[in-house]
Amino acid sequence: MAEDLHRLQTHDLELGATEAIQKHYSRHVVAGKPVSQRKLDFEHRRPRWLRECMAEATGVFYYVFPGIAAIASFTLNAENPIGVTAFGSLFQIGWAFAIGIAFAIITCAPTSGGHFNPAITICFAVWQGFPWKKVPHYIFSQIFGAFIAGLLMVGMYWPEIQVFKEESLAAGKGLVYNGGPASLLCTFPNPNQTNLGYLFMTEFFVDSFIGIVIWANLDPANPFVSPVSAPFAIGLAYGAMVWGFADIAISTNLARDLGTRIVAAIFFGSESFSYLNYSWIAILVNVPATLFATGYYEFLMRDSLSSIGKGHAVHEDGEEGLRRHITNTGHIETGAANALRKNQSGSDEYNLGKRE
């Protein structure tokens, strides 16, 4: 007991969230208990694939759960004596999704890489060498995370949802329509939005916008983004699209829509998939749109030489390949030049001093 009382010095910080600042703050955080060999053995035996899948599922849950909860609080409070406006708006819903995405990245990305979207997983496989054998596991986990988020939200709001169902049926509106019970979980178009081509293009360009922002934030050569700001910048891209286009039906994520749409079909009927023949747009368009966006960035905006120069990437043929490239092109940006100079003992035989 006496040892516990004297373990903290005058300016020490207690264990807790303070552990996150040990590398960034001058005050000392008191050490926790030593890590046991039993704990290390347990963590070593954990299957890597299971950790990654659970992290992806948990991350999508963190993203979807606050978003659909905000939708529910906005939609279900018509009977509340203090009124709907006290509980929400599209502005609130956008922030719920944005902050949920930031929390998902902060919480789970260190374990799985933080994809949280089947389209992003596919893009990592296409452009960045993510193993294709992992793609099905990641996609299943992402859909599962959204499914659990939908189930939990329905369970927590079940009394209010039951009342809403009865009122909707009594009014002859059914259960599946934009603004109806099923729309608490997933996207449905407005009754006058019968042009599927219009809905396709809306979804395509919204998802492309988000995809380019994500890819730019993940570019290690981007000087305007730090590891601290990236989760919030990515989240705000989603929020901005919700604020601008949620009123005309957008999905933005295959897993977010399909996982919760399955829950909607369980509780509100199979029309959740057949209503106005829209569900395929909400579920599938995100993939080609994000491939287009990331391809646009890769072909027109990516600066791989800058990434190499800053030490974030390497030439496929090593330093010899990089030297050969410099010899062939005759010039190089300063960042890559500095990287090579470290291994050249001050010589400039590769004409690294030239600037574009």
Side-chain angles (χ1 to χ4, degrees):
M1 182 66 179
E3 182 179 344
D4 288 341
L5 291 175
H6 295 288
R7 53 191 282 275
L8 290 172
Q9 302 299 320
T10 302
H11 296 290
D12 286 353
L13 300 177
E14 185 53 278
L15 285 173
T18 50
E19 289 188 280
I21 65 169
Q22 288 193 73
K23 295 182 179 179
H24 311 285
Y25 196 58
S26 59
R27 287 177 65 182
H28 175 66
V29 179
V30 64
K33 68 177 183 179
V35 179
S36 68
Q37 186 61 46
R38 181 179 181 182
K39 182 178 179 66
L40 290 174
D41 291 341
F42 167 76
E43 293 177 357
H44 177 72
R45 287 193 298 267
R46 291 180 302 186
R48 175 77 186 184
W49 67 268
L50 180 62
R51 294 179 60 219
E52 292 173 341
C53 288
M54 292 308 298
E56 283 296 300
T58 303
V60 174
F61 177 90
Y62 265 57
Y63 151 44
V64 174
F65 185 65
I68 60 176
I71 293 171
S73 70
F74 172 57
T75 306
L76 293 173
N77 280 292
E79 299 302 318
N80 192 288
I82 59 177
V84 174
T85 55
F87 282 91
S89 63
L90 285 180
F91 189 65
Q92 170 198 308
I93 293 168
W95 274 112
F97 278 113
I99 296 175
I101 289 167
F103 288 165
I105 295 171
I106 293 168
T107 304
C108 303
T111 301
S112 67
H115 299 189
F116 311 138
N117 183 335
I120 293 297
T121 298
I122 292 170
C123 288
F124 271 116
V126 170
W127 305 118
Q128 301 292 339
F130 182 76
W132 280 102
K133 66 180 181 180
K134 287 187 176 183
V135 170
H137 304 119
Y138 269 54
I139 292 177
F140 173 82
S141 302
Q142 292 155 1
I143 295 170
F144 179 73
F147 176 78
I148 295 300
L151 280 180
L152 188 57
M153 190 280 288
V154 169
M156 296 173 74
Y157 272 100
W158 186 244
E160 292 81 4
I161 290 174
Q162 285 286 77
V163 173
F164 188 30
K165 284 175 61 178
E166 293 171 2
E167 293 174 348
S168 184
L169 290 172
K173 297 180 179 179
L175 300 176
V176 179
Y177 59 94
N178 190 19
S183 70
L184 301 175
L185 292 158
C186 54
T187 304
F188 298 98
N190 297 320
N192 63 342
Q193 289 183 286
T194 56
N195 187 327
L196 294 182
Y198 172 83
L199 291 166
F200 178 96
M201 296 306 295
T202 300
E203 186 70 39
F204 188 91
F205 284 111
V206 163
D207 295 353
S208 297
F209 179 97
I210 295 171
I212 291 177
V213 173
I214 292 173
W215 227 237
N217 273 272
L218 300 182
D219 186 351
N222 189 341
F224 295 100
V225 180
S226 70
V228 174
S229 65
F232 298 96
I234 293 171
L236 282 172
Y238 279 86
M241 292 298 96
V242 170
W243 298 324
F245 299 99
D247 60 325
I248 54 172
I250 57 171
S251 165
T252 73
N253 187 323
L254 185 162
R256 173 262 183 276
D257 191 88
L258 179 56
T260 54
R261 196 172 293 273
I262 293 171
V263 178
I266 292 172
F267 289 99
F268 307 116
S270 61
E271 191 182 0
S272 298
F273 280 93
S274 61
Y275 182 79
L276 295 181
N277 296 315
Y278 168 75
S279 63
W280 68 271
I281 293 176
I283 296 169
L284 297 178
V285 172
N286 182 239
V287 176
T290 309
L291 280 169
F292 166 78
T294 53
Y296 180 94
Y297 191 90
E298 290 289 337
F299 287 113
L300 299 178
M301 301 173 71
R302 173 81 69 182
D303 185 358
S304 297
L305 197 58
S306 180
S307 295
I308 294 173
K310 294 179 180 180
H312 300 302
V314 295
H315 193 285
E316 62 179 351
D317 295 326
E319 289 189 8
E320 181 59 35
L322 182 57
R323 290 190 179 96
R324 188 164 57 248
H325 169 77
I326 295 167
T327 302
N328 293 336
T329 58
H331 57 264
I332 190 172
E333 286 82 357
T334 303
N338 291 337
L340 278 180
R341 283 197 184 99
K342 295 178 182 178
N343 299 317
Q344 293 178 4
S345 302
S347 68
D348 197 26
E349 60 179 305
Y350 297 104
N351 198 29
L352 300 181
K354 295 179 69 175
R355 296 286 300 276
E356 285 189 305

